[in-house]
Amino acid sequence: MHEETVAGESRTVRRARTTRRARAVAAGGAVLTVLAGLGVRAFADGDFAKYAGDALYTVLICALVAVIAPGARPAVAAGAALSFSWAVELLQLTGIPADLAGRSAVARLVLGSTFNAPDLFWYAVGAGFAWAVAALVTSPSSPGCAPRTSASR
């Protein structure tokens, strides 16, 4: 069976290259998000730092979803990140994250420790921001982006 080729390159090769590029962009976004979070912690405090951290948490999760599933639509990646963030926040109502946070700094960073209802809103802000950036980056009018076809949706 012959694969359709364009300029000597098979569809499979093009798809693999596009997937690698999408994963690299998402991984870069994750690194930038972590740096933004560290910057907020270093140069801000109070409510701004706390809620910016909440939003950036969801942005980071969205970037990680895009690394794992580079073909996911921006709305799906943002929805998955928001769902995960909300699930973690609601898990805090059980006390399990607080117990784990007392034993591990990593658990404290990933799971938090105390439920705070306004965090749910700021996770949604982060998901909206991540969706907007991903939609811009993957739009057909973006430089270097191939237009989406029905086969790539």
Side-chain angles (χ1 to χ4, degrees), residues 89-101:
E89 189 69 27
L90 294 172
L91 181 66
Q92 292 171 358
L93 290 169
T94 68
I96 294 169
D99 183 48
L100 294 173

Side-chain angles (χ1 to χ4, degrees), residues 50-113:
K50 182 192 179 342
Y51 295 124
D54 290 343
L56 288 169
Y57 177 87
T58 302
V59 171
L60 176 61
I61 299 301
C62 190
L64 295 175
V65 167
V67 168
I68 294 167
R73 290 175 164 260
V76 171
L82 179 59
S83 297
F84 179 84
S85 298
W86 280 353
V88 168
E89 189 69 27
L90 294 172
L91 181 66
Q92 292 171 358
L93 290 169
T94 68
I96 294 169
D99 183 48
L100 294 173
R103 296 186 232 166
S104 166
V106 173
R108 181 161 179 75
L109 288 171
V110 174
L111 301 175
S113 61

Side-chain angles (χ1 to χ4, degrees), residues 106-136:
V106 173
R108 181 161 179 75
L109 288 171
V110 174
L111 301 175
S113 61
T114 308
F115 177 80
N116 183 32
D119 290 353
L120 299 171
F121 170 77
W122 292 102
Y123 295 140
V125 170
F129 178 79
W131 167 81
V133 170
L136 266 171

